[in-house]
Amino acid sequence: MIFNGIDHIRHNESDNFFLLAGPCAIEDETLALKIAERIVRITDDLKIPYVFKGSYRKANRSRLDSFTGIGDEKALKILRKVNETFGVPTVTDFHSAPEAAMAAEYVDMLQIPAFLCRQTDILVAAANTGKVVNIKKGQFLSAGAMKFAVDKVRESGNSNIVITERGTTLGYQDLVVDYRGIPEMKESNNCPVVMDITHSLQQPNQLSGVTGGKPELIETIARAAIAVGADGLFIETHPDPANAKSDGANMLHLDKLETMLKRLTILRQAVNQL
């Protein structure tokens, strides 16, 4: 499949939002293909431009014994297979500048983790691959401060940029979404803005060493994001969140995705008419 960067997801005949969705981490090939097949069918029916998401490695873990991945090359090859099997672009996050070129060989979009969104060498390395760069807003940053992260990528010669809102730290163990930031980042940076629904519902820094979450509020966050003009949604989903190897506490059960997306598509149509 030929992926035409931002235009591929920003301009579509249905004028719908686009979707970045998949498991938190690549656990195995069978599961990744199962999830991708289900979401491809749903998004094709609803005319939602779709990008499959999966992390080839989880670097930011609370405990040393937490699951981090099945091996970089093995996971990246699975991401490539998703693309080749279903004809959809893929996105993954990476964690150091040298990894950018490695990951870019396998995926269409590179994601900058929120905690790393100020790291100049990582932003420049992503820009230099020529891939679409999705910068997740740090939990510690204002919407306005994201201009400087965007500028680093743009001034490095890459204008294929997406910004993802994922909530702002509230105290030690919670996050809150400031929806004013979505239109602000769209206007000031002239690039699509995505709402990362599931990560914005995390409850980090639990004493157990395992991040908690509020998945019952996923549709609430999604509706509000669509209402204020988000261009895309980011949703981590799994057929068995309770037994997922990473971030199961805040993931959407795959069986609930289709009904929710149908309702959100209706809402998007209403917003477009305003």
Side-chain angles (χ1 to χ4, degrees):
M1 173 186 186
I2 298 175
F3 180 63
N4 296 317
I6 295 299
D7 286 343
H8 182 99
I9 52 179
R10 198 175 198 181
H11 304 297
N12 58 90
E13 61 183 23
S14 63
D15 199 23
N16 211 342
F17 55 86
F18 60 88
L19 178 68
L20 281 60
C24 177
I26 297 297
E27 299 179 20
D28 60 60
E29 181 178 304
T30 300
L31 179 64
L33 292 174
K34 176 182 178 180
I35 293 172
E37 181 178 26
R38 184 89 169 270
I39 302 177
V40 166
R41 180 187 62 78
I42 294 168
T43 53
D44 281 353
D45 287 346
L46 296 174
K47 294 182 172 56
I48 298 172
Y50 173 51
V51 180
F52 178 86
K53 182 270 169 186
S55 297
Y56 66 87
R57 176 165 23 97
K58 303 302 296 182
N60 178 24
R61 303 288 87 188
S62 296
R63 297 183 347 199
L64 187 60
D65 62 352
S66 297
F67 173 80
T68 58
I70 60 174
D72 293 356
E73 186 176 11
K74 184 177 180 180
L76 286 166
K77 284 182 176 179
I78 291 171
L79 285 164
R80 176 185 283 168
K81 186 163 185 178
V82 168
N83 168 263
E84 293 172 346
T85 303
F86 301 106
V88 295
T90 56
V91 58
T92 195
D93 45 328
F94 71 102
H95 314 95
S96 69
E99 292 179 33
M102 174 188 72
E105 292 183 18
Y106 296 90
V107 299
D108 303 283
M109 181 185 295
L110 293 175
Q111 183 169 288
I112 311 295
F115 281 125
L116 301 177
C117 69
R118 285 172 50 92
Q119 298 299 113
T120 301
D121 59 340
I122 291 177
L123 290 162
V124 172
N128 288 341
T129 67
K131 300 289 184 175
V132 176
V133 180
N134 178 24
I135 313 172
K136 298 188 80 171
K137 184 181 78 64
Q139 303 92 321
F140 45 85
L141 284 181
S142 68
M146 282 300 291
K147 172 186 182 299
F148 302 105
V150 170
D151 285 348
K152 289 176 184 179
V153 175
R154 195 167 274 150
E155 290 170 12
S156 297
N158 189 336
S159 59
N160 266 327
I161 304 166
V162 177
I163 301 173
T164 294
E165 165 64 54
R166 54 94 73 236
T168 302
T169 299
L170 178 68
Y172 290 114
Q173 295 176 321
D174 208 355
L175 297 163
V176 65
V177 179
D178 182 354
Y179 288 98
R180 297 173 300 178
I182 292 176
E184 179 181 350
M185 288 189 290
K186 287 179 62 171
E187 182 176 351
S188 60
N189 296 288
N190 190 31
C191 60
V193 174
V194 172
M195 181 71 233
D196 180 345
I197 300 164
T198 45
H199 283 105
S200 70
L201 290 168
Q202 282 184 329
Q203 293 181 306
N205 305 317
Q206 298 297 309
L207 296 181
S208 65
V210 178
T211 298
K214 297 181 178 179
E216 67 276 9
L217 293 176
I218 287 173
E219 187 163 343
T220 300
I221 297 293
R223 289 185 182 193
I226 294 297
V228 298
D231 299 289
L233 301 178
F234 179 110
I235 301 171
E236 289 188 339
T237 183
H238 195 283
D240 186 11
N243 290 301
K245 294 184 178 180
S246 178
D247 281 3
N250 53 272
M251 276 200 279
L252 178 71
H253 197 293
L254 187 58
D255 287 345
K256 297 181 179 181
L257 181 65
E258 182 171 13
T259 298
M260 185 181 79
L261 290 178
K262 285 180 178 178
R263 288 197 285 255
L264 294 175
T265 296
I266 293 170
L267 178 59
R268 172 64 178 235
Q269 291 169 349
V271 170
N272 287 343
Q273 293 173 8
L274 295 177

